[in-house]
PDB file of all heavy atoms in Angstrom:
ATOM      1  N   ARG A  78      17.105  21.081 -12.470  1.00 95.00           N
ATOM      2  CA  ARG A  78      16.309  20.479 -11.395  1.00 95.00           C
ATOM      3  C   ARG A  78      16.206  21.447 -10.230  1.00 95.00           C
ATOM      4  O   ARG A  78      17.079  22.276 -10.003  1.00 95.00           O
ATOM      5  CB  ARG A  78      16.921  19.159 -10.947  1.00 95.00           C
ATOM      6  CG  ARG A  78      16.883  18.118 -12.052  1.00 95.00           C
ATOM      7  CD  ARG A  78      17.251  16.767 -11.533  1.00 95.00           C
ATOM      8  NE  ARG A  78      16.198  16.187 -10.733  1.00 95.00           N
ATOM      9  CZ  ARG A  78      15.418  15.183 -11.132  1.00 95.00           C
ATOM     10  NH1 ARG A  78      15.565  14.680 -12.340  1.00 95.00           N
ATOM     11  NH2 ARG A  78      14.506  14.694 -10.337  1.00 95.00           N
ATOM     12  N   GLN A  79      15.081  21.271  -9.494  1.00 92.00           N
ATOM     13  CA  GLN A  79      14.789  22.144  -8.370  1.00 92.00           C
ATOM     14  C   GLN A  79      15.775  21.922  -7.223  1.00 92.00           C
ATOM     15  O   GLN A  79      15.963  20.792  -6.781  1.00 92.00           O
ATOM     16  CB  GLN A  79      13.432  21.737  -7.835  1.00 92.00           C
ATOM     17  CG  GLN A  79      12.355  22.761  -7.937  1.00 92.00           C
ATOM     18  CD  GLN A  79      11.029  22.086  -7.698  1.00 92.00           C
ATOM     19  OE1 GLN A  79      10.902  21.205  -6.842  1.00 92.00           O
ATOM     20  NE2 GLN A  79      10.038  22.466  -8.466  1.00 92.00           N
ATOM     21  N   ASN A  80      16.367  22.986  -6.721  1.00 93.00           N
ATOM     22  CA  ASN A  80      17.166  22.871  -5.511  1.00 93.00           C
ATOM     23  C   ASN A  80      16.244  23.066  -4.320  1.00 93.00           C
ATOM     24  O   ASN A  80      15.147  23.584  -4.453  1.00 93.00           O
ATOM     25  CB  ASN A  80      18.258  23.923  -5.508  1.00 93.00           C
ATOM     26  CG  ASN A  80      19.353  23.555  -6.479  1.00 93.00           C
ATOM     27  OD1 ASN A  80      19.766  22.401  -6.558  1.00 93.00           O
ATOM     28  ND2 ASN A  80      19.817  24.533  -7.243  1.00 93.00           N
ATOM     29  N   GLY A  81      16.690  22.661  -3.156  1.00 93.00           N
ATOM     30  CA  GLY A  81      15.924  22.954  -1.943  1.00 93.00           C
ATOM     31  C   GLY A  81      15.026  21.815  -1.491  1.00 93.00           C
ATOM     32  O   GLY A  81      14.502  21.866  -0.383  1.00 93.00           O
ATOM     33  N   THR A  82      14.823  20.795  -2.319  1.00 94.00           N
ATOM     34  CA  THR A  82      14.043  19.638  -1.896  1.00 94.00           C
ATOM     35  C   THR A  82      14.842  18.367  -2.144  1.00 94.00           C
ATOM     36  O   THR A  82      15.307  18.136  -3.255  1.00 94.00           O
ATOM     37  CB  THR A  82      12.722  19.537  -2.691  1.00 94.00           C
ATOM     38  OG1 THR A  82      12.055  20.780  -2.610  1.00 94.00           O
ATOM     39  CG2 THR A  82      11.821  18.448  -2.127  1.00 94.00           C
ATOM     40  N   ILE A  83      15.002  17.556  -1.101  1.00 96.00           N
ATOM     41  CA  ILE A  83      15.714  16.289  -1.258  1.00 96.00           C
ATOM     42  C   ILE A  83      14.767  15.145  -0.930  1.00 96.00           C
ATOM     43  O   ILE A  83      14.122  15.141   0.127  1.00 96.00           O
ATOM     44  CB  ILE A  83      16.956  16.219  -0.332  1.00 96.00           C
ATOM     45  CG1 ILE A  83      18.005  17.234  -0.771  1.00 96.00           C
ATOM     46  CG2 ILE A  83      17.557  14.818  -0.350  1.00 96.00           C
ATOM     47  CD1 ILE A  83      19.295  17.171   0.040  1.00 96.00           C
ATOM     48  N   CYS A  84      14.680  14.188  -1.830  1.00 95.00           N
ATOM     49  CA  CYS A  84      13.862  13.003  -1.627  1.00 95.00           C
ATOM     50  C   CYS A  84      14.791  11.861  -1.207  1.00 95.00           C
ATOM     51  O   CYS A  84      15.687  11.481  -1.950  1.00 95.00           O
ATOM     52  CB  CYS A  84      13.136  12.670  -2.920  1.00 95.00           C
ATOM     53  SG  CYS A  84      12.094  11.226  -2.794  1.00 95.00           S
ATOM     54  N   VAL A  85      14.576  11.342   0.006  1.00 96.00           N
ATOM     55  CA  VAL A  85      15.463  10.317   0.559  1.00 96.00           C
ATOM     56  C   VAL A  85      14.887   8.924   0.280  1.00 96.00           C
ATOM     57  O   VAL A  85      13.758   8.632   0.671  1.00 96.00           O
ATOM     58  CB  VAL A  85      15.631  10.519   2.085  1.00 96.00           C
ATOM     59  CG1 VAL A  85      16.549   9.460   2.668  1.00 96.00           C
ATOM     60  CG2 VAL A  85      16.163  11.913   2.376  1.00 96.00           C
ATOM     61  N   VAL A  86      15.654   8.086  -0.410  1.00 96.00           N
ATOM     62  CA  VAL A  86      15.179   6.737  -0.735  1.00 96.00           C
ATOM     63  C   VAL A  86      16.147   5.683  -0.202  1.00 96.00           C
ATOM     64  O   VAL A  86      17.287   5.989   0.123  1.00 96.00           O
ATOM     65  CB  VAL A  86      15.015   6.544  -2.266  1.00 96.00           C
ATOM     66  CG1 VAL A  86      13.915   7.428  -2.822  1.00 96.00           C
ATOM     67  CG2 VAL A  86      16.326   6.803  -2.992  1.00 96.00           C
ATOM     68  N   GLU A  87      15.640   4.438  -0.138  1.00 95.00           N
ATOM     69  CA  GLU A  87      16.467   3.350   0.395  1.00 95.00           C
ATOM     70  C   GLU A  87      17.590   2.943  -0.555  1.00 95.00           C
ATOM     71  O   GLU A  87      18.736   2.805  -0.164  1.00 95.00           O
ATOM     72  CB  GLU A  87      15.601   2.112   0.652  1.00 95.00           C
ATOM     73  CG  GLU A  87      14.670   2.268   1.822  1.00 95.00           C
ATOM     74  CD  GLU A  87      13.803   1.034   2.025  1.00 95.00           C
ATOM     75  OE1 GLU A  87      14.171  -0.060   1.551  1.00 95.00           O
ATOM     76  OE2 GLU A  87      12.754   1.170   2.665  1.00 95.00           O
ATOM     77  N   GLY A  88      17.219   2.715  -1.823  1.00 94.00           N
ATOM     78  CA  GLY A  88      18.234   2.181  -2.736  1.00 94.00           C
ATOM     79  C   GLY A  88      18.122   2.750  -4.135  1.00 94.00           C
ATOM     80  O   GLY A  88      17.149   3.446  -4.456  1.00 94.00           O
ATOM     81  N   PRO A  89      19.103   2.457  -4.989  1.00 92.00           N
ATOM     82  CA  PRO A  89      19.097   2.968  -6.353  1.00 92.00           C
ATOM     83  C   PRO A  89      17.818   2.578  -7.122  1.00 92.00           C
ATOM     84  O   PRO A  89      17.339   3.339  -7.954  1.00 92.00           O
ATOM     85  CB  PRO A  89      20.323   2.318  -6.988  1.00 92.00           C
ATOM     86  CG  PRO A  89      21.202   1.967  -5.848  1.00 92.00           C
ATOM     87  CD  PRO A  89      20.300   1.649  -4.709  1.00 92.00           C
TER      88      PRO A  89
END
Side-chain angles (χ1 to χ4, degrees):
R78 295 190 74 107
Q79 244 166 39
N80 286 317
T82 308
I83 293 183
C84 180
V85 180
V86 294
E87 289 179 21

